Amino acid sequence: MPQLSGGSEKPRRWIKRYRTETAASTASVLSTVTAFPLDSVKTRMQTYPYAGALDCVRVTYNSEGIRGFFRGVTAPLASVTLVRTISFSIYQRSKYVYSDWMKQNLGFCPLEHVNKNGAYPNLGTIACFGVAGATAGSGITFIACPFELTKLSAQVSVLMANQKNADPQKQAIALSYHNKGTFKTLANIVKHRGFSGMYTGLNLHLLRDTLGTGIYFATYESSKQLLTTFSGKDAHKNPIAVLAAGALCGIVSWALICLYPSRQL
């Protein structure tokens, strides 16, 4: 029995030590699997002339069944999980570094402030969490850019191929991306553009992810602190505040991404 108890302690200690990475990867898997059918419908509607979302769902289900909505989920599942896990890990470490720097140089510790009962967000906390988020966003860009470019290439390939008065050679290249998996699409990009082609639009991607991730975490921490203060409960005892803050920061960051023009292709 003591051996069983000792053996069970090691996984617990590991999970506690890497709780940020464990939580981020678990949340990424669940969110990707849950949202992928919607993303699949969006991609199909961008590629084919469906009458609407319901028509797309009907045609996909009749021709491919439930599997059709999850076609190609494996690669995004791996890439999104990797990117988000690294992003949250960088953010978690960065916010402690920036908070310690502000405490030593400015006499204000953002992490101590947010843990005070009844405290509200201020410029110092927003700056600390925003810069930490921007650091995470810029750090993951070099991993996320090839996957993002691959996804965009697959989504718009048919639309580009069907353009009127387009160069026949360019149309043939666009069609070569049609109905290919993630890795075949990535191989096509390398074939036509070289290895550097995987980072086409890197500067704009870097700007988008730096701003978007900075706003994401600043909004999350600030709204969570506000909701916790208003409820009069500790954040660990108020999961509704955490849930609402997560939803709000997602809406705000996605609004920025949707408004930001994509010029990677």
Side-chain angles (χ1 to χ4, degrees):
M1 291 299 292
Q3 290 182 350
L4 292 175
S5 178
S8 64
E9 281 299 318
K10 289 183 179 180
R12 289 178 183 176
R13 286 199 298 267
W14 188 91
I15 292 175
K16 184 176 181 180
R17 181 177 180 181
Y18 297 101
R19 57 185 178 276
T20 299
E21 291 81 359
T22 303
S25 58
T26 303
S28 296
V29 169
L30 293 175
S31 63
T32 301
V33 172
T34 303
F36 195 82
L38 297 176
D39 187 69
S40 179
V41 171
K42 177 192 69 106
T43 301
R44 290 167 184 265
M45 290 181 66
Q46 289 176 330
T47 307
Y48 296 98
Y50 292 102
L54 293 178
D55 180 51
C56 179
V57 171
R58 180 183 59 79
V59 172
T60 301
Y61 181 77
N62 289 339
S63 59
E64 303 177 52
I66 295 295
R67 275 187 172 184
F69 297 100
F70 292 93
R71 191 175 300 280
V73 71
T74 305
L77 191 63
S79 62
V80 170
T81 301
L82 175 65
V83 167
R84 288 186 180 175
T85 301
I86 295 175
S87 175
F88 274 82
S89 180
I90 294 174
Y91 169 73
Q92 188 71 9
R93 286 159 175 76
S94 296
K95 74 177 183 180
Y96 280 99
V97 171
Y98 294 133
S99 182
D100 289 343
W101 183 90
M102 293 177 71
K103 183 177 182 179
Q104 293 175 7
N105 294 274
L106 304 177
F108 172 76
C109 181
L111 291 178
E112 290 179 358
H113 178 78
V114 297
N115 288 322
K116 292 179 181 177
N117 292 330
Y120 290 92
N122 58 29
L123 184 59
T125 59
I126 294 173
C128 176
F129 301 133
V131 174
T135 302
S138 60
I140 62 165
T141 297
F142 298 94
I143 300 174
C145 187
F147 290 104
E148 182 77 7
L149 179 61
T150 300
K151 178 183 175 182
L152 291 173
S153 297
Q155 286 178 342
V156 302
S157 58
V158 173
L159 295 178
M160 293 174 64
N162 291 335
Q163 285 182 344
K164 294 181 179 180
N165 302 321
D167 186 339
Q169 185 177 1
K170 291 183 178 180
Q171 284 185 320
I173 292 174
L175 279 173
S176 70
Y177 289 89
H178 182 44
N179 283 337
K180 297 292 191 301
T182 299
F183 296 106
K184 287 184 178 180
T185 300
L186 193 61
N188 250 6
I189 293 173
V190 174
K191 176 183 177 181
H192 296 300
R193 304 185 187 182
F195 285 99
S196 61
M198 293 189 297
Y199 289 93
T200 302
L202 176 65
N203 55 341
L204 294 178
H205 193 135
L206 178 64
L207 179 60
R208 187 199 69 176
D209 278 9
T210 300
L211 291 174
T213 311
I215 292 174
Y216 178 94
F217 282 110
T219 303
Y220 171 73
E221 297 284 5
S222 299
S223 57
K224 183 178 71 172
Q225 186 181 8
L226 280 172
L227 292 170
T228 300
T229 298
F230 288 151
S231 68
K233 298 180 181 179
D234 184 85
H236 297 291
K237 299 178 181 179
N238 190 2
I240 300 299
V242 176
L243 182 65
L248 181 60
C249 70
I251 293 172
V252 172
S253 62
W254 269 107
L256 172 69
I257 292 173
C258 288
L259 291 173
Y260 188 82
S262 180
R263 295 293 302 277
Q264 285 187 288
L265 297 181

